[in-house]
Amino acid sequence: MEDRAREAIRAQGARVTATRVHVLATLMETASALSHQELFDRIGSSVSVDRVTVYRVLEWLVQTGLAHRIAGEDRVWRFSVARPGDDAGTPHAHHHHGEPHGHFQCDVCRRMFCIDAPVGIQQNLDRLPDGFEGRDVEMVVRGRCPACVQAGREAGDERKTH
């Protein structure tokens, strides 16, 4: 995954750094969107880096279009790959190529997942009044993810989640 991350960063004409590579590779191999803290916890053992640098890399990834962010109900930003490139070959269906799509946040484990463009997102952009130019629509569906449903966990459970 790190080779694919390097390629995606190079394709932006940007400097390839160990932190950028590790952050992007981690997002590419993760099935759900990660908060800054979750990402920091995952890469902290493999790269000597501070939290501020990780946050700056995440912001850079969003600005370049390699990642996108969505705020959860808990007002925490979560990040995932937005367009890893046609050649990136990432196996996760949650990766989109800059197209409008929705998100699902689990009430129990708080994980956030990208979902295919639900009916209505593009239509809402297309129905703006004359003179308005829409950029995106945020849609978050809330409920329980398959893992929490299968484990019988409910929102507010004190049991350990994922």
Side-chain angles (χ1 to χ4, degrees):
M1 209 50 79
E2 288 189 5
D3 288 339
R4 291 183 180 123
R6 273 188 206 88
E7 290 172 25
I9 293 166
R10 273 193 202 105
Q12 296 296 316
R15 192 166 59 98
V16 177
T17 66
T19 305
R20 285 179 177 177
V21 169
H22 284 294
V23 169
L24 184 56
T26 301
L27 292 178
M28 287 176 158
E29 61 195 19
T30 304
S32 62
L34 299 174
S35 69
H36 171 261
Q37 183 62 48
E38 291 166 331
L39 187 61
F40 182 78
D41 291 345
R42 288 186 187 206
I43 69 166
S45 61
S46 59
V47 178
S48 177
V49 65
D50 60 67
R51 294 175 200 279
V52 173
T53 301
V54 171
Y55 192 75
R56 286 181 181 150
V57 168
L58 286 168
E59 288 298 311
W60 179 81
L61 290 170
V62 169
Q63 289 172 358
T64 61
L66 290 172
H68 74 272
R69 68 177 163 212
I70 183 77
E73 188 173 29
D74 54 3
R75 298 183 186 192
V76 172
W77 286 114
R78 288 179 175 77
F79 301 83
S80 66
V81 173
R83 67 177 166 79
D86 295 335
D87 299 329
T90 120
H92 302 297
H94 72 284
H95 296 163
H96 298 273
H97 299 279
E99 297 185 19
H101 63 279
H103 295 86
F104 180 92
Q105 185 170 29
C106 180
D107 292 333
V108 181
C109 67
R110 311 308 298 165
R111 291 190 306 163
M112 177 95 55
F113 302 87
C114 293
I115 55 176
D116 289 335
V119 174
I121 288 185
Q122 187 60 50
Q123 290 85 345
N124 282 321
L125 287 172
D126 294 342
R127 290 184 185 155
L128 289 171
D130 289 338
F132 286 84
E133 234 177 64
R135 181 175 39 84
D136 62 64
V137 175
E138 287 189 16
M139 184 184 103
V140 178
V141 177
R142 293 184 177 79
R144 292 187 301 157
C145 71
C148 289
V149 169
Q150 186 176 10
R153 290 184 221 131
E154 298 287 336
D157 278 358
E158 298 301 322
R159 291 176 276 177
K160 180 178 168 68
T161 60
H162 307 288

